[in-house]
Amino acid sequence: MTDNSARLDHVVLWVRDPVASADFYEKAVGLEPLRVTEFAAGKASFPSVRLNGETIFDLAPLPLAEYMNVVPGGAESAGHPVNHVCLSLTGPEFEALRARLEERSVPLSGFSYDSYGARGMAKRSFYFRDPDGNVFEARHYE
């Protein structure tokens, strides 16, 4: 990959309670919360969580959906058109995520093996939902 190649910058997730969602993503998924204090103080439209150095998930409150009319039908799509988001982790990160989710009684799928993804065939993966029903897949390749 070259420095000027396309990269994923952010994914917007529609959520009912952005502060509670940020807490879930921090404590259950292990992501760094961003702008939560600013959001709670009314100084930011939404908080985010950092996936890695280049990518964040924006935790957009559902009332912001009405502002998605910048594209036809955008407001009606809130929370529906994305099937799932896949997180690629190292083996130890994968195990730690599953353990944190189990500790919080988050329902998990069984393991899938040898599924194809951006880096080839993943050794194992599983699925879970966040508190708003967004579906995530976690996988590792090594």
Side-chain angles (χ1 to χ4, degrees), residues 74-102:
E76 291 79 31
S77 72
H80 299 292
V82 174
N83 180 275
H84 71 276
V85 175
C86 183
L87 305 175
S88 175
L89 307 165
T90 65
E93 291 169 334
F94 178 89
E95 296 296 341
L97 171 60
R98 189 161 178 102
R100 285 191 306 271
L101 293 169
E102 287 174 338

Side-chain angles (χ1 to χ4, degrees), residues 3 11 16 18 31 49 67 71-72 75 83 85 90 99 107 128 141:
D3 286 342
V11 174
R16 290 181 299 272
L31 304 182
V49 290
Y67 299 105
V71 294
N83 180 275
V85 175
T90 65
F128 65 95
Y141 284 91

Side-chain angles (χ1 to χ4, degrees), residues 7-31:
R7 291 180 171 86
L8 183 62
D9 184 84
H10 69 276
V11 174
V12 177
L13 300 173
W14 294 110
V15 300
R16 290 181 299 272
D17 182 341
V19 173
S21 292
D23 186 66
F24 171 82
Y25 284 103
E26 177 184 16
K27 293 180 178 139
V29 183
L31 304 182

Side-chain angles (χ1 to χ4, degrees), residues 100-137:
R100 285 191 306 271
L101 293 169
E102 287 174 338
E103 286 171 10
R104 288 165 177 77
S105 300
V106 174
L108 306 174
S109 74
F111 289 116
S112 297
Y113 300 91
D114 300 321
S115 29
Y116 182 76
R119 295 173 48 204
M121 299 303 281
K123 184 174 180 179
R124 289 184 302 167
S125 65
F126 68 90
Y127 293 83
F128 65 95
R129 289 182 183 269
D130 74 1
D132 292 283
N134 295 300
V135 178
F136 285 83
E137 176 185 0

